[in-house]
Amino acid sequence: MSKKVKKTDDLSEPVDIRSSSGGGWLYSDVVKDHFFNPRNFMQYDEEEKFEYNGMGRVGSPACGDEMVMWLKINPQTEKITDCRWRTFGCGSAIASTSVLSEMLVEKGGMPIDEALKLKPQDILARLGGLPDRKVHCSVLGDKALQAAVNDYFRRTGQHARVLTAGAKVIDAALNVTDKDIEEAVLEGARVLEDVQKKLKVGVFNKESVPQIEELLRFYTEKYYG
Amino acid sequence: MLPKPKKNRNVYLDHAATTAMDERVLKAMRPYFLEQFGNPSSLYNLGRTANRALASARATISAALHALPENIIFTSGGTESDNLAIYGIARAHQSRGQHIISTLIEHHAVLGPLADLKKDGWDITYAGVNKEGFVSADEIIKKIRKDTTLVSVMYGNNEVGSIQPIAEIGRAILKYRKENNTAYPYFHTDACQAAGALTLDVEKLHVDLMTINGSKIYGPKGAGILYLRRGVKIKPMILGGGQEKRTRSGTENVPAIIGLAEALKLAQADRIKEGDKQKKLCSMLWNEIQKKIPKVKLNGPEIGDGRLPNNLNVTFMDVEGEALLLYLDEYGVMCSTGSACTSESLEPSHVLMAMGLPYEYAHGSLRFTFGRENSLADVTYLMKYLPAIVEQLRELSPVSIGFKQHAKYKK
């Protein structure tokens, strides 16, 4: 190989990857550390022996990200005493699950009520931020956690405590829900046309447009404001 | 954790993205920055010297293409040449028709202008590809209509290396024109990836327009050409002093053009020897990958005459390309991926999608493209770490395509 290319960066420096349009994005040191040294992931030899009472799975490889989270919850204290995870996804998806798992089990374990209040922003803050395009990776971690806690509620017969994230249909003809709009915003949609493109739908019903625009503003503010 | 190399080796396997410049090219360019800096349009000696150099570069390039010097238009690179070809033909001939035929696997420098023309009322027909990434000449010809002014098909695909039947399409278009007693449609090919490996003889390829750039053939970035057959009219995009026979205004980038000519000459002289060497390295890497890593798939044609000799595109199932790429970067290995995570749109590679690859396969794809300076030692170094990296990421991954779910995942 040619000696002309010099490699100067080392582990202490953030990875800088230029996107195709020339805008650069940067992984923080924390992201890098968790990506290369993931914590609490489910190792092959643990598969049989790890005991858990809550499991959540979200996403799919077709979407580009998939996460599974296993929780060990102490029924008396309702604290998360241990957890394991696995993630199919890019660097930031792996790092955000790893950092989330650390947040859950440190300081004697996080109470599940507190865990359910965790927001994507909390994971992002701990990671030292993610590029806008990568925010959706951290959202998946938060959803996997919620699914795992719900699973724990079901297993322990506490059906009343299960959080149902019911989607509300916004445009009946196209079967577009508020969740769809949330997803579209996380994937970069900012105006009505972006949403149409992301959801691969035609023209929205006139009556539903104001509501869609309001949700657009709401979710943009929520995740990027 | 993963083993760390005692000494990181830099293994550049992304030559389809760009190449380092050849020392000989730099040497040829150097005088035109400092001493021979004249404007080729100036009449005094300094200008005339620059003009002579420009003429000589044009002659070198036209010889490599079996074209005439006046057929060569210098541009700022592959993207501009593609844009000029598409917009130039579309707008100069719009009174004749507003229909263009292209393919689903073109570079964005072609797809972008086509999408833009569509907004302005043009009708664009895209031909699909088979699962190996080949366009069918017959399918292209069947799509030609009376109002078709342009057919644009790339020569060698940048992602999976499939070499398109340009000469066959070119001959069929000639036949169509003759039978229908018409000058249309014109035929353009983007040859940026092919320039270092395949023949660029425009007479054999039967193309009317051809794009080539410098940065993929060890030449400078920011230099490209558009071959334009004599008598074919295009509408310029950049207006001004009327350089390049009024098709592309702006003072010619003399050093870059000299460099491009030198690079193209060297690339074409070495193309068979280099192609054979790089094809061997590709085969070796692919064999090693198959031997040491389970659940892999070759994307694109079999390694051989149908594939650019420097291109290897492999899917590592159950892992995601960007994560692989970042791990490899830690070991000094540079390559690229078709995963959505590295794209601006968060959509996976349009080429792999057009070939009918499922999303989850596209997400796990890596593209290795070899170049002149690569050797067997690079393959050996890469294969020392790649299996462990894939294994590590698979352990992190909950996905198991095509295999039964582990009981642990079931509720």
Side-chain angles (χ1 to χ4, degrees), chain B residues 46-71:
Chain B
L46 192 67
R48 292 199 303 273
T49 310
N51 201 5
R52 270 197 300 276
L54 196 62
S56 146
R58 212 183 290 278
T60 306
I61 291 170
S62 60
L65 270 54
H66 284 197
L68 296 169
E70 66 254 39
N71 300 146

Side-chain angles (χ1 to χ4, degrees), chain A residues 177-195:
Chain A
T177 66
D178 53 352
K179 288 279 155 214
D180 294 330
I181 309 215
E182 180 180 6
E183 289 291 324
V185 169
L186 285 165
E187 284 172 16
R190 292 292 177 274
V191 293
L192 204 62
E193 288 81 55
D194 297 343
V195 178

Side-chain angles (χ1 to χ4, degrees), chain A residues 1-2 4-7 11 15 17 19-21 25 27 32 35-38 41-44 47-48 50 52 55 57 61-64 66 68 70 85-91 94 133-134 136 151 187 198 200, chain B residues 1 4 8-12 20-21 23 318-320 322-323 325-327 329-330 332 334 341-347 359-360 363 373-375 378 391-399 405-406 408-411:
Chain A
M1 164 72 206
S2 138
K4 277 172 262 168
V5 188
K6 280 206 185 78
K7 192 178 161 72
L11 261 170
V15 180
I17 294 177
S19 67
S20 55
S21 69
W25 55 267
Y27 279 154
K32 241 193 130 174
F35 174 57
F36 287 113
N37 307 294
F41 69 91
M42 178 70 89
Q43 296 181 13
Y44 284 139
E47 282 181 344
E48 301 299 334
F50 186 77
Y52 62 97
M55 192 272 272
R57 180 186 202 109
C63 311
E66 176 162 352
V68 181
W70 295 269
W85 58 269
R86 270 188 186 157
T87 289
F88 169 89
C90 58
I94 289 172
R133 301 188 302 115
K134 295 281 177 177
H136 72 280
D151 182 44
E187 284 172 16
K198 288 279 176 202
K200 298 188 173 70
Chain B
M1 279 280 96
K4 271 288 181 188
N8 251 18
R9 183 185 171 88
N10 281 309
V11 178
Y12 185 73
M21 219 167 67
E23 300 267 2
D318 309 338
V319 294
E320 194 277 329
E322 193 221 84
L325 191 144
L326 291 175
Y327 263 91
D329 182 45
E330 276 304 295
M334 294 159 264
C341 282
T342 49
S343 76
E344 198 70 12
S345 60
L346 294 178
E347 292 285 335
Y359 271 56
E360 48 269 48
H363 284 304
E373 74 280 7
N374 291 124
S375 65
D378 292 330
E391 184 57 25
Q392 156 105 30
L393 286 170
R394 279 184 179 159
E395 187 169 16
L396 284 180
S397 166
V399 180
Q405 280 287 313
H406 191 276
K408 202 75 189 172
Y409 293 101
K410 291 193 185 127
K411 282 180 188 168

Side-chain angles (χ1 to χ4, degrees), chain B residues 28-302:
Chain B
M29 288 168 72
R30 202 184 284 274
Y32 295 91
F33 285 109
L34 298 172
E35 299 106 50
Q36 302 300 337
F37 62 88
N39 185 326
S41 302
S42 301
L43 285 179
Y44 40 78
N45 192 26
L46 192 67
R48 292 199 303 273
T49 310
N51 201 5
R52 270 197 300 276
L54 196 62
S56 146
R58 212 183 290 278
T60 306
I61 291 170
S62 60
L65 270 54
H66 284 197
L68 296 169
E70 66 254 39
N71 300 146
I72 308 297
I73 302 166
F74 290 116
T75 69
S76 68
T79 297
E80 190 193 329
S81 294
D82 280 344
N83 275 237
L84 182 57
I86 308 278
Y87 283 124
I89 291 287
R91 290 182 178 149
H93 303 271
Q94 56 180 314
S95 60
R96 178 56 171 46
Q98 293 192 315
H99 179 233
I100 297 174
I101 299 167
S102 189
T103 79
L104 289 172
I105 60 160
E106 295 301 305
H107 191 271
H108 288 290
V110 166
L111 295 176
L114 291 178
D116 186 43
L117 285 169
K118 192 173 161 68
K119 279 190 209 145
D120 288 346
W122 265 263
D123 189 10
I124 319 287
T125 306
Y126 297 96
V129 293
N130 65 9
K131 63 183 198 314
E132 292 190 300
F134 290 117
V135 170
S136 135
D138 282 348
E139 201 192 324
I140 298 274
I141 300 306
K142 274 188 204 135
K143 293 186 189 302
I144 298 179
R145 311 190 310 220
K146 272 214 163 75
D147 59 344
T148 310
T149 54
L150 179 68
V151 174
S152 181
V153 179
M154 69 181 357
Y155 196 173
N157 182 267
N158 49 320
E159 292 191 31
V160 297
S162 51
I163 298 169
Q164 305 307 330
I166 298 303
E168 195 187 335
I169 299 169
R171 269 195 307 274
I173 289 176
L174 282 182
K175 194 172 147 221
Y176 173 91
R177 288 182 199 156
K178 207 171 161 194
E179 282 170 6
N180 293 275
N181 197 22
T182 167
Y184 300 95
Y186 294 121
F187 183 31
H188 166 248
T189 189
D190 176 340
C192 289
Q193 294 293 338
L198 308 175
T199 176
L200 296 176
D201 186 333
V202 293
E203 292 305 321
K204 282 188 186 146
L205 294 171
H206 308 293
V207 291
D208 303 298
L209 304 101
M210 180 160 73
T211 296
I212 294 169
N213 72 349
S215 68
K216 316 271 194 223
I217 50 171
Y218 311 90
K221 293 173 182 64
I225 65 154
L226 179 65
Y227 159 78
L228 182 66
R229 186 181 294 281
R230 191 157 55 166
V232 178
K233 220 177 84 199
I234 56 170
K235 190 167 189 288
M237 293 195 299
I238 300 176
L239 307 174
Q243 285 88 348
E244 300 299 296
K245 300 181 81 202
R246 302 201 165 270
T247 50
R248 203 280 188 182
S249 286
T251 300
E252 295 87 347
N253 184 355
V254 179
I257 289 167
I258 304 292
L260 171 59
E262 183 70 15
L264 188 63
K265 189 176 81 184
L266 296 169
Q268 281 286 303
D270 272 357
R271 70 180 173 89
I272 294 176
K273 194 184 92 208
E274 272 303 319
D276 285 348
K277 187 194 97 182
Q278 290 169 26
K279 198 191 292 175
K280 248 180 227 149
L281 291 175
C282 271
S283 299
M284 251 173 227
L285 177 55
W286 175 229
N287 287 340
E288 285 297 300
I289 287 175
Q290 282 173 290
K291 228 185 281 168
K292 295 194 177 136
I293 306 175
K295 293 182 81 179
V296 292
K297 180 187 174 299
L298 178 71
N299 298 318
E302 285 303 311

